[in-house]
Amino acid sequence: MIRPLSLFIFNLNKQNVKTQVKFASTVLPQFSSEKYGVKRKSFGVLQPRDIDYFKSILGEDRVVTDESDVLPFNIDWIKNCRGQSKVVLKPKTTEEVSKILSYCNGKRLAVCPQGGNTGLVGGSVPVFDEIVLNFNLMNKIISLDEISGALVCESGCVLENLDDYVRERNLIMPLDLGAKGSCHIGGNVSTNAGGLRLLRYGNLHGSVLGLEAVKADGTVLDCLRTLKKDNTGYHLKHLFIGSEGTLGVVTKVAIHCPALPKAVSLGFFGVENFENILNLYKRAKTSLGEILSAFEMADNGSVSSTVKNLKLSNPISDYPFYVLVETHGSDETHDSEKLSRFLSEGMESGVIVDGTVTSEPAKMKTIWNIRESIAGAGLVEGYSFKYDVSIPLRNYYDLVELLRDRLKDHQAKVYGYGHVGDGNIHINVIVPEYTKNMYSMLEPYIFEEVAKLKGSISAEHGVGFRKPQFIHYSKDESALQLMKDLKKSMDPNGILNPYKVLPD
Ligand SMILES: Cc1cc2nc3c(=O)[nH]c(=O)nc-3n(C[C@H](O)[C@H](O)[C@H](O)COP(=O)(O)OP(=O)(O)OC[C@H]3O[C@@H](n4cnc5c(N)ncnc54)[C@H](O)[C@@H]3O)c2cc1C
């Protein structure tokens, strides 16, 4: 028997994320295949003898078949997509992954790799009866070179656990995101996750030093080097960074961890209009220069609804826009003085209306908590259509205004927030419930507008199940053909994460 309540606290550790999920609907989402009219491809159908085989390599406990136990693995974080898998496999070693894939490839059984299941484009859950290959139990830290900062670990390690581990050794993870309490490093690599400090520490194509992956036919590919420089042949690791489990399964990751900053300061500013945010960003790059680690924005709706829905407190008053500026440096007095000067100069020139600067960990946590909770706070109000796009900075906020105008006669709230430093804006459209009419008001309209603005339809969340039919707005036919050729060569039977990333 299915128990919808069992979805509530599935695999989520972080308090604010838990709170958001607690408010989410108890109604099971419709099957993705019905909602989006997808036809099952001619893959093999799971037989009792297949289950027996999986049990022979994993044991009884790590082959989950009970319907209600499988259910949470079929539903994505945002409760939009729902698959119909009958089995979840939980390998503990690369060898087990290799045996599973080799077997599935031979039987043409489709597989959906799954990390922390925090993805926002439906890539981490099956569409039909794909076998869920879950990495929760591949969570060992293998080594840390405290001199070079090279961390080697299994792909199922939770990002926050890794960060806690390296922080005790005066290092930090090069990425940080609101889902850090649940997402896996393997999921981060497979989605090329960006996050809050990409501006400072760059993206995963730079910080992943090497990885181990298993191809669809079970071949283990050992590119697990920890060198910063290795120009021998094609740079194969990049094929797995951001390919969302469609080209291979990531089993181990070697990643460069930067030094733990000795001094961290945070500014939270109220701003009158978007033009002033751009003005402030330009100033931050010159005034804060080498210590600038994050430059985030959120509009009034994003912050006020988050604060209200999750009962948080906003340290400054109500303003049309908010900017969060963080510095990572080595001298606390120098850095916080610099940030305080940045605030007072901003206020003198009228670019900042009000603001606060702090280096106190508890206060910084409160402010970051508001920013990190925006993604899910809308779940409290109803259904949240979520978009993650890159737009050249000059037009960064245009899409929010266009959408507000387009939806003015509908019961919809449109919020914009994101990583200004990366040109990446997240747009939440909150409605009382999902309707086909609202869906068709939003898509493909949003992607057409992004293309007109010369942006990307996916800045950091990937393409997943939700966007393959729109990928052409960001990639031309020749690029798409090469992607299809690569897929054919690496996964000729198409068993890895079908219905995702590439259009048919
Ligand atoms: C509150 C919140 C805030 C977020 N903020 C950000 C943000 O700032 N930046 C950002 O980039 N994303 C963000 N996300 C989206 C999400 O957290 C990231 O995409 C994350 O990297 C997904 O990791 P995961 O382990 O949950 O992967 P999953 O959701 O389980 O999977 C994501 C994709 O990767 C594939 N995959 C997972 N593990 C593997 C593996 N080992 N091998 C091969 N393929 C695999 C899956 O098949 C799927 O296609 C946020 C999500 C939430 C809920």
Side-chain angles (χ1 to χ4, degrees), residues 26 64 95 125 144 167 213 243 251 290 301 307 358 392 394 413 429 432 456 477:
T26 54
V64 183
E95 292 64 37
V125 289
L144 174 66
R167 266 174 198 271
S243 54
T251 43
E290 75 293 346
V307 165
T358 180
R394 181 66 38 214
K413 294 174 190 161
V429 179
S456 166
E477 198 41 55

Side-chain angles (χ1 to χ4, degrees), residues 17 20 77 112-120 123-125 135 155 176-179 182-196 244-246 248-251 371-372 375-376 419 426 460-461 464 497 500:
V17 180
Q20 291 156 19
W77 191 85
C112 173
Q114 188 180 81
N117 198 11
T118 66
L120 297 173
S124 54
V125 289
F135 292 94
S155 60
D176 187 6
L177 44 144
S182 312
C183 64
H184 294 180
I185 192 69
N188 299 148
V189 169
S190 304
T191 54
N192 186 25
L196 305 161
E244 302 178 63
T246 59
V249 161
V250 177
T251 43
R371 166 61 189 88
E372 292 182 81
H419 319 294
H426 299 308
E460 57 181 9
H461 294 165
N497 229 2
K500 318 279 172 65

